[in-house]
Amino acid sequence: NAGVMQNPRHLVRRRGQEARLRCSPMKGHSHVYWYRQLPEEGLKFMVYLQKENIIDESGMPKERFSAEFPKEGPSILRIQQVVRGDSAAYFCASSPGGANVLTFGAGSRLTVL
Amino acid sequence: TQLLEQSPQFLSIQEGENLTVYCNSSSVFSSLQWYRQEPGEGPVLLVTVVTGGEVKKLKRLTFQFGDARKDSSLHITAAQTGDTGLYLCAGAGGNYGQNFVFGPGTRLSVLP
């Protein structure tokens, strides 16, 4: 029973390029959360999704960032026209519906040159 | 906006010592979780506390949820080098009660 799978683990992009981060939740989990973590800081909530629905995107920057969780396939966090300030670790977590427990992936580390 | 504070921010101790770290908020949470995160990895859940005044023990770790469900503490007895990591508390909150608000963490180093 694989845990939460994130890929790529490391991603390097130049300013202005696009970054796509993927997250496959644990089997049986229909809720996905994305968090961002800067060095030496805690986790900042970005977005919470269920299959085909964005439930809460209050932590997501209004521009350049988008997220989806299609009926089939992984959840994707997309960052367009990346800037150096986007460099961070992006963590995905999943939970079964209604539960108050999160299972995290190992994270995707984005470096913008 | 619900916020969580954690103290101390950094803690360095010798193996065998005891320690307590704290998680505080002005808000009430329906539940609170403690996670440990090691470098290069995602946070791993240690415990969930739900009831005010609840105490849970996990081997050498003792977790307590405040009576008012606004604060929590984590006590480690006889720390080991393997306890080194970032300890994060998270409260269930957000617009729909399904989001988890994380504190900034306590970075613990246990020296041999």
Side-chain angles (χ1 to χ4, degrees), chain B:
Chain B
T1 302
Q2 294 176 305
L3 293 174
L4 282 166
E5 298 177 345
Q6 290 189 246
S7 62
Q9 187 177 359
F10 299 97
L11 184 59
S12 181
I13 61 170
Q14 294 294 133
E15 198 170 25
E17 293 184 357
N18 302 332
L19 67 114
T20 303
V21 298
Y22 301 92
C23 174
N24 297 286
S25 175
S26 57
S27 303
V28 175
F29 291 97
S30 58
S31 67
L32 195 141
Q33 292 82 39
W34 283 91
Y35 294 81
R36 183 172 72 204
Q37 184 180 22
E38 298 189 22
E41 299 297 329
V44 175
L45 179 69
L46 296 174
V47 76
T48 298
V49 286
V50 178
T51 306
E54 182 176 4
V55 176
K56 280 192 174 179
K57 292 195 174 184
L58 183 67
K59 297 184 180 178
R60 294 176 294 101
L61 278 60
T62 302
F63 304 85
Q64 185 162 6
F65 201 14
D67 291 340
R69 291 187 290 133
K70 292 183 179 181
D71 55 86
S72 181
S73 64
L74 159 59
H75 181 80
I76 302 179
T77 303
Q80 300 176 358
T81 55
D83 296 327
T84 294
L86 178 66
Y87 288 81
L88 297 160
C89 66
N95 296 332
Y96 303 91
Q98 296 271 18
N99 297 339
F100 297 86
V101 177
F102 280 81
T106 291
R107 194 165 296 278
L108 172 65
S109 294
V110 181
L111 306 174

Side-chain angles (χ1 to χ4, degrees), chain A residues 12-19 64 78-86 110-113:
Chain A
V12 178
R13 286 287 180 265
R14 295 191 181 279
R15 281 180 297 171
Q17 292 184 319
E18 179 179 287
R64 303 189 297 107
R78 181 184 179 201
I79 311 173
Q80 295 178 288
Q81 299 175 324
V82 296
V83 300
R84 289 214 174 109
D86 296 332
L110 172 65
T111 301
V112 180
L113 302 177

Side-chain angles (χ1 to χ4, degrees), chain A residues 11-67:
Chain A
L11 182 63
V12 178
R13 286 287 180 265
R14 295 191 181 279
R15 281 180 297 171
Q17 292 184 319
E18 179 179 287
R20 282 189 180 226
L21 311 177
R22 289 175 289 277
C23 169
S24 295
M26 279 189 71
K27 187 177 181 181
H29 286 192
S30 58
H31 295 232
V32 165
Y33 302 75
W34 285 94
Y35 287 83
R36 178 163 63 179
Q37 186 177 39
L38 295 172
E40 306 298 320
E41 293 189 9
L43 295 162
K44 301 295 185 188
F45 168 75
M46 298 182 73
V47 63
Y48 161 43
L49 311 101
Q50 295 178 22
K51 284 283 188 181
E52 300 185 277
N53 287 304
I54 296 175
I55 306 302
D56 186 348
E57 55 182 349
S58 58
M60 193 108 89
K62 294 288 187 291
E63 297 178 352
R64 303 189 297 107
F65 285 72
S66 62

